[in-house]
Amino acid sequence: MHMILAYIFAAILIKTSLLGLGLVSIMVCFCAMLILTFNRPRIVSTIRAKFLRLFKIALFGHISAYLGLLIKAYFIDGVEDIPAFIVGHFVLHHILCAIVAGTVTILTLRLYTQSKHLRVQQSKAE
């Protein structure tokens, strides 16, 4: 049951990333990391660590998109650069969000197969 919560957070993160909602995705990452860290759900510690790594990767990806925005804003020389800045940011932001969503999807699927394999091994040992 507790592992389902981590998968739900991963699904919400993928959806918000694909929609380009970077700030919402950052909040989802923080909430998921807080719950996985402080709630200590009954998940195998290696699986919990992998989920935390997944959310940290997504968090870094989205923060880097906003860091890129700030760096690009520093290079604005005048009013005529603002439309290109906005369009460039939208393109860059959506590309980075899609890369984050793809990475989170691949890592979540890999984590699911690994945890399923671990459960099969545990059931055989019993």
Side-chain angles (χ1 to χ4, degrees), residues 14-23 25 62 66 93-94 97-98:
I14 291 167
K15 185 65 173 180
T16 56
S17 294
L18 285 175
L19 290 173
L21 303 172
L23 292 176
S25 297
H62 284 291
Y66 287 105
H93 181 82
H94 282 282
C97 286

Side-chain angles (χ1 to χ4, degrees), residues 2-124:
H2 294 287
M3 202 147 87
I4 291 173
L5 186 62
Y7 286 117
I8 289 172
F9 273 117
I12 292 170
L13 177 63
I14 291 167
K15 185 65 173 180
T16 56
S17 294
L18 285 175
L19 290 173
L21 303 172
L23 292 176
V24 175
S25 297
I26 289 171
M27 289 189 300
V28 168
C29 287
F30 274 129
C31 289
M33 287 172 28
L34 286 173
I35 288 173
L36 286 173
T37 302
F38 294 117
N39 192 15
R40 294 287 183 195
R42 286 172 261 154
I43 301 175
V44 179
S45 62
T46 57
I47 303 279
R48 183 182 319 123
K50 289 182 181 185
F51 269 117
L52 285 172
R53 184 187 65 167
L54 178 140
F55 291 120
K56 286 177 186 176
I57 289 170
L59 183 67
F60 175 73
H62 284 291
I63 288 176
S64 68
Y66 287 105
L67 185 63
L69 171 73
L70 292 175
I71 291 170
K72 283 179 16 177
Y74 179 73
F75 292 109
I76 292 178
D77 292 332
V79 177
E80 65 276 353
D81 291 339
I82 292 176
F85 167 76
I86 292 171
V87 171
H89 173 67
F90 283 149
V91 170
L92 179 67
H93 181 82
H94 282 282
I95 289 171
L96 286 175
C97 286
I99 290 171
V100 168
T103 304
V104 170
T105 302
I106 290 169
L107 290 175
T108 304
L109 290 173
R110 195 172 89 189
L111 188 57
Y112 176 75
T113 57
Q114 288 174 353
S115 65
K116 187 175 179 181
H117 182 67
L118 182 65
R119 276 187 266 134
V120 168
Q121 284 180 345
Q122 287 177 348
S123 66
K124 286 182 181 181

